Amino acid sequence: MSLIQTLTKTVSTSSSLLRVVQSANSSSVRHLSSASPPASVWSLGRLNHVAIAVPDLGQATALYRDMLGASVSQPQDLPEHGVTTVFVELSNTKLELLHPLGEKSPIAGFLAKNKTGGIHHICIEVDDITAAVADVRSKNIRCLSAEPRIGAHGKPVMFLHPKDCNGVLVELEQE
């Protein structure tokens, strides 16, 4: 069979398939072909930061500040989260350097498994944290606390279970 015959047969088969799909129930076709999510009372905003767990906060801060020339914040202890943070300012987002604080730090457990550190989570802003949390829960996405807590920026945050988010720990933060 020549290339032109193969292409003609493929187009003919595709046209037949398209007619079958078009004759199907229009609501199911809309659902299957929709490229945008359903309307909601909340929406995702911009990427706020990427968090990196580090075994040596001073060394990591020096890398970004002294070697790469970035502007960095002073270390901030967040005992309620079990971390000390340093923010690295970038033109389009931030990096959050995380170091364990206290014996029950979740970062200590992460570093026990990842001795040299690594990406810990991503943080995405939302315009309504309360609605976002209710919505993700209704979709069986597990939240890691009962209610949003105040995060490093002084705003309410909620962490979503990585097993429900393609292996990524996701932090939602009120804009």
Side-chain angles (χ1 to χ4, degrees), residues 131-168:
V133 168
D135 189 43
V136 298
R137 281 192 172 131
S138 76
K139 295 172 180 170
N140 295 319
I141 296 173
R142 290 172 284 178
C143 296
L144 298 187
S145 60
E147 297 295 324
R149 298 186 297 169
I150 300 303
H153 297 112
K155 299 176 181 181
V157 301
M158 176 61 74
F159 285 89
L160 308 180
H161 200 292
K163 287 185 179 177
D164 299 334
C165 299
N166 300 306
V168 176

Short mmCIF file of all heavy atoms in Angstrom, two decimals, residues 131-168:
data_model
loop_
_atom_site.label_atom_id
_atom_site.label_comp_id
_atom_site.label_asym_id
_atom_site.label_seq_id
_atom_site.Cartn_x
_atom_site.Cartn_y
_atom_site.Cartn_z
N ALA A 131 -12.69 27.72 50.20
CA ALA A 131 -13.41 27.05 49.12
C ALA A 131 -12.52 26.00 48.45
O ALA A 131 -13.00 24.91 48.10
CB ALA A 131 -13.89 28.07 48.09
N ALA A 132 -11.25 26.30 48.28
CA ALA A 132 -10.32 25.35 47.65
C ALA A 132 -10.23 24.07 48.48
O ALA A 132 -10.28 22.96 47.94
CB ALA A 132 -8.95 25.98 47.48
N VAL A 133 -10.07 24.22 49.79
CA VAL A 133 -9.96 23.04 50.67
C VAL A 133 -11.24 22.21 50.62
O VAL A 133 -11.19 20.98 50.50
CB VAL A 133 -9.60 23.47 52.11
CG1 VAL A 133 -9.76 22.31 53.09
CG2 VAL A 133 -8.18 24.03 52.16
N ALA A 134 -12.39 22.87 50.70
CA ALA A 134 -13.66 22.14 50.64
C ALA A 134 -13.79 21.40 49.30
O ALA A 134 -14.22 20.24 49.26
CB ALA A 134 -14.83 23.10 50.83
N ASP A 135 -13.39 22.05 48.23
CA ASP A 135 -13.51 21.45 46.90
C ASP A 135 -12.58 20.26 46.73
O ASP A 135 -13.00 19.20 46.25
CB ASP A 135 -13.23 22.51 45.84
CG ASP A 135 -13.55 22.02 44.44
OD1 ASP A 135 -14.60 21.39 44.25
OD2 ASP A 135 -12.74 22.29 43.53
N VAL A 136 -11.32 20.39 47.11
CA VAL A 136 -10.40 19.26 46.93
C VAL A 136 -10.81 18.09 47.82
O VAL A 136 -10.70 16.93 47.41
CB VAL A 136 -8.90 19.64 47.14
CG1 VAL A 136 -8.46 20.68 46.12
CG2 VAL A 136 -8.60 20.09 48.54
N ARG A 137 -11.31 18.38 49.00
CA ARG A 137 -11.80 17.29 49.87
C ARG A 137 -12.99 16.59 49.22
O ARG A 137 -13.10 15.36 49.31
CB ARG A 137 -12.18 17.83 51.24
CG ARG A 137 -10.99 18.05 52.12
CD ARG A 137 -11.41 18.30 53.57
NE ARG A 137 -10.23 18.32 54.41
CZ ARG A 137 -9.96 19.25 55.30
NH1 ARG A 137 -10.79 20.26 55.50
NH2 ARG A 137 -8.86 19.19 56.03
N SER A 138 -13.87 17.35 48.59
CA SER A 138 -15.04 16.73 47.94
C SER A 138 -14.62 15.84 46.78
O SER A 138 -15.37 14.97 46.36
CB SER A 138 -16.01 17.81 47.45
OG SER A 138 -15.53 18.43 46.27
N LYS A 139 -13.41 16.03 46.28
CA LYS A 139 -12.87 15.23 45.18
C LYS A 139 -11.93 14.14 45.69
O LYS A 139 -11.15 13.57 44.95
CB LYS A 139 -12.16 16.14 44.19
CG LYS A 139 -13.11 17.10 43.51
CD LYS A 139 -12.40 18.13 42.68
CE LYS A 139 -13.43 19.05 42.04
NZ LYS A 139 -12.81 20.21 41.42
N ASN A 140 -12.01 13.88 47.02
CA ASN A 140 -11.22 12.83 47.68
C ASN A 140 -9.71 13.06 47.60
O ASN A 140 -8.94 12.10 47.57
CB ASN A 140 -11.58 11.45 47.15
CG ASN A 140 -13.00 11.08 47.48
OD1 ASN A 140 -13.47 11.36 48.59
ND2 ASN A 140 -13.70 10.50 46.54
N ILE A 141 -9.29 14.31 47.58
CA ILE A 141 -7.87 14.63 47.71
C ILE A 141 -7.64 14.89 49.19
O ILE A 141 -8.30 15.75 49.80
CB ILE A 141 -7.49 15.87 46.86
CG1 ILE A 141 -7.70 15.54 45.39
CG2 ILE A 141 -6.05 16.29 47.14
CD1 ILE A 141 -7.51 16.71 44.45
N ARG A 142 -6.74 14.13 49.77
CA ARG A 142 -6.50 14.23 51.21
C ARG A 142 -5.70 15.49 51.56
O ARG A 142 -4.72 15.81 50.90
CB ARG A 142 -5.76 13.00 51.71
CG ARG A 142 -6.63 11.74 51.68
CD ARG A 142 -5.84 10.52 51.99
NE ARG A 142 -5.06 10.19 50.79
CZ ARG A 142 -4.21 9.18 50.72
NH1 ARG A 142 -3.99 8.41 51.76
NH2 ARG A 142 -3.56 8.94 49.59
N CYS A 143 -6.14 16.15 52.61
CA CYS A 143 -5.44 17.31 53.16
C CYS A 143 -4.66 16.83 54.38
O CYS A 143 -5.11 15.94 55.09
CB CYS A 143 -6.43 18.40 53.56
SG CYS A 143 -7.35 19.07 52.15
N LEU A 144 -3.49 17.43 54.61
CA LEU A 144 -2.62 16.96 55.68
C LEU A 144 -2.90 17.59 57.04
O LEU A 144 -2.22 17.26 58.00
CB LEU A 144 -1.16 17.15 55.28
CG LEU A 144 -0.72 16.37 54.04
CD1 LEU A 144 0.78 16.49 53.83
CD2 LEU A 144 -1.12 14.90 54.13
N SER A 145 -3.88 18.45 57.12
CA SER A 145 -4.32 18.97 58.42
C SER A 145 -5.83 19.20 58.35
O SER A 145 -6.40 19.26 57.26
CB SER A 145 -3.58 20.27 58.78
OG SER A 145 -3.81 21.28 57.82
N ALA A 146 -6.43 19.30 59.52
CA ALA A 146 -7.89 19.46 59.56
C ALA A 146 -8.33 20.81 59.01
O ALA A 146 -9.36 20.91 58.34
CB ALA A 146 -8.38 19.30 61.00
N GLU A 147 -7.56 21.83 59.27
CA GLU A 147 -7.88 23.19 58.84
C GLU A 147 -6.62 23.84 58.29
O GLU A 147 -5.51 23.45 58.65
CB GLU A 147 -8.38 24.02 60.03
CG GLU A 147 -9.67 23.52 60.65
CD GLU A 147 -10.87 23.62 59.70
OE1 GLU A 147 -10.92 24.60 58.91
OE2 GLU A 147 -11.73 22.74 59.74
N PRO A 148 -6.78 24.89 57.45
CA PRO A 148 -5.59 25.63 57.00
C PRO A 148 -4.85 26.21 58.20
O PRO A 148 -5.46 26.57 59.21
CB PRO A 148 -6.18 26.74 56.13
CG PRO A 148 -7.49 26.20 55.65
CD PRO A 148 -8.00 25.36 56.81
N ARG A 149 -3.52 26.25 58.08
CA ARG A 149 -2.68 26.84 59.13
C ARG A 149 -1.95 28.05 58.53
O ARG A 149 -1.85 28.17 57.31
CB ARG A 149 -1.66 25.82 59.63
CG ARG A 149 -2.31 24.61 60.27
CD ARG A 149 -1.32 23.67 60.90
NE ARG A 149 -0.42 23.11 59.89
CZ ARG A 149 0.67 22.42 60.17
NH1 ARG A 149 1.01 22.19 61.40
NH2 ARG A 149 1.44 21.95 59.21
N ILE A 150 -1.45 28.90 59.38
CA ILE A 150 -0.71 30.06 58.92
C ILE A 150 0.69 29.62 58.49
O ILE A 150 1.40 28.96 59.25
CB ILE A 150 -0.63 31.15 60.01
CG1 ILE A 150 -2.06 31.61 60.39
CG2 ILE A 150 0.20 32.33 59.53
CD1 ILE A 150 -2.88 32.14 59.22
N GLY A 151 1.07 29.97 57.27
CA GLY A 151 2.35 29.56 56.71
C GLY A 151 3.43 30.62 56.86
O GLY A 151 3.26 31.62 57.57
N ALA A 152 4.52 30.43 56.16
CA ALA A 152 5.71 31.29 56.27
C ALA A 152 5.45 32.72 55.83
O ALA A 152 6.14 33.63 56.26
CB ALA A 152 6.86 30.70 55.45
N HIS A 153 4.45 32.94 54.98
CA HIS A 153 4.15 34.30 54.52
C HIS A 153 3.06 34.96 55.36
O HIS A 153 2.56 36.03 55.00
CB HIS A 153 3.71 34.27 53.05
CG HIS A 153 4.77 33.78 52.13
ND1 HIS A 153 4.67 32.59 51.45
CD2 HIS A 153 5.97 34.31 51.78
CE1 HIS A 153 5.74 32.41 50.72
NE2 HIS A 153 6.56 33.42 50.92
N GLY A 154 2.67 34.30 56.45
CA GLY A 154 1.63 34.85 57.31
C GLY A 154 0.23 34.68 56.74
O GLY A 154 -0.70 35.36 57.16
N LYS A 155 0.08 33.77 55.78
CA LYS A 155 -1.21 33.53 55.13
C LYS A 155 -1.63 32.08 55.36
O LYS A 155 -0.78 31.22 55.54
CB LYS A 155 -1.11 33.81 53.63
CG LYS A 155 -0.74 35.24 53.31
CD LYS A 155 -0.56 35.41 51.82
CE LYS A 155 -0.17 36.84 51.49
NZ LYS A 155 -0.02 37.01 50.03
N PRO A 156 -2.93 31.80 55.30
CA PRO A 156 -3.39 30.41 55.47
C PRO A 156 -2.89 29.50 54.36
O PRO A 156 -2.90 29.90 53.18
CB PRO A 156 -4.92 30.53 55.43
CG PRO A 156 -5.23 31.96 55.67
CD PRO A 156 -4.04 32.74 55.18
N VAL A 157 -2.47 28.30 54.74
CA VAL A 157 -1.99 27.30 53.78
C VAL A 157 -2.60 25.94 54.10
O VAL A 157 -3.02 25.68 55.23
CB VAL A 157 -0.44 27.17 53.79
CG1 VAL A 157 0.22 28.49 53.44
CG2 VAL A 157 0.07 26.64 55.12
N MET A 158 -2.63 25.09 53.08
CA MET A 158 -3.05 23.70 53.25
C MET A 158 -2.17 22.84 52.36
O MET A 158 -1.96 23.16 51.18
CB MET A 158 -4.52 23.51 52.85
CG MET A 158 -4.99 22.07 52.91
SD MET A 158 -4.90 21.30 54.55
CE MET A 158 -6.27 22.09 55.38
N PHE A 159 -1.66 21.75 52.93
CA PHE A 159 -0.87 20.80 52.15
C PHE A 159 -1.76 19.65 51.70
O PHE A 159 -2.59 19.16 52.48
CB PHE A 159 0.29 20.26 52.99
CG PHE A 159 1.41 21.24 53.16
CD1 PHE A 159 1.42 22.13 54.21
CD2 PHE A 159 2.46 21.27 52.23
CE1 PHE A 159 2.45 23.05 54.36
CE2 PHE A 159 3.49 22.19 52.36
CZ PHE A 159 3.49 23.08 53.43
N LEU A 160 -1.58 19.23 50.45
CA LEU A 160 -2.34 18.13 49.87
C LEU A 160 -1.44 16.90 49.78
O LEU A 160 -0.26 17.01 49.44
CB LEU A 160 -2.84 18.50 48.49
CG LEU A 160 -3.62 19.82 48.39
CD1 LEU A 160 -4.07 20.06 46.95
CD2 LEU A 160 -4.79 19.85 49.35
N HIS A 161 -2.01 15.75 50.07
CA HIS A 161 -1.24 14.51 50.13
C HIS A 161 -0.61 14.21 48.77
O HIS A 161 -1.29 14.22 47.74
CB HIS A 161 -2.14 13.36 50.55
CG HIS A 161 -1.38 12.19 51.09
ND1 HIS A 161 -0.57 11.41 50.30
CD2 HIS A 161 -1.31 11.68 52.34
CE1 HIS A 161 -0.03 10.46 51.03
NE2 HIS A 161 -0.46 10.60 52.29
N PRO A 162 0.70 13.91 48.76
CA PRO A 162 1.36 13.63 47.47
C PRO A 162 0.80 12.42 46.73
O PRO A 162 0.82 12.39 45.51
CB PRO A 162 2.83 13.43 47.85
CG PRO A 162 2.87 13.27 49.32
CD PRO A 162 1.62 13.88 49.88
N LYS A 163 0.28 11.44 47.45
CA LYS A 163 -0.28 10.27 46.77
C LYS A 163 -1.53 10.61 45.97
O LYS A 163 -1.91 9.87 45.08
CB LYS A 163 -0.58 9.16 47.78
CG LYS A 163 0.67 8.49 48.30
CD LYS A 163 0.37 7.33 49.20
CE LYS A 163 1.67 6.69 49.67
NZ LYS A 163 1.42 5.58 50.59
N ASP A 164 -2.14 11.75 46.28
CA ASP A 164 -3.33 12.19 45.55
C ASP A 164 -2.99 13.25 44.51
O ASP A 164 -3.88 13.73 43.81
CB ASP A 164 -4.37 12.75 46.53
CG ASP A 164 -4.84 11.71 47.54
OD1 ASP A 164 -4.77 10.50 47.23
OD2 ASP A 164 -5.24 12.11 48.65
N CYS A 165 -1.72 13.61 44.42
CA CYS A 165 -1.28 14.70 43.53
C CYS A 165 -0.08 14.28 42.68
O CYS A 165 0.91 15.01 42.58
CB CYS A 165 -0.96 15.94 44.34
SG CYS A 165 -2.36 16.59 45.28
N ASN A 166 -0.16 13.10 42.11
CA ASN A 166 0.89 12.60 41.20
C ASN A 166 2.27 12.55 41.84
O ASN A 166 3.27 12.83 41.19
CB ASN A 166 0.92 13.42 39.92
CG ASN A 166 -0.38 13.36 39.17
OD1 ASN A 166 -0.86 12.27 38.88
ND2 ASN A 166 -0.96 14.50 38.88
N GLY A 167 2.32 12.24 43.13
CA GLY A 167 3.60 12.10 43.80
C GLY A 167 4.22 13.41 44.26
O GLY A 167 5.35 13.42 44.73
N VAL A 168 3.48 14.52 44.14
CA VAL A 168 4.01 15.83 44.51
C VAL A 168 3.26 16.35 45.73
O VAL A 168 2.02 16.36 45.75
CB VAL A 168 3.86 16.85 43.35
CG1 VAL A 168 4.32 18.23 43.76
CG2 VAL A 168 4.61 16.36 42.12
#
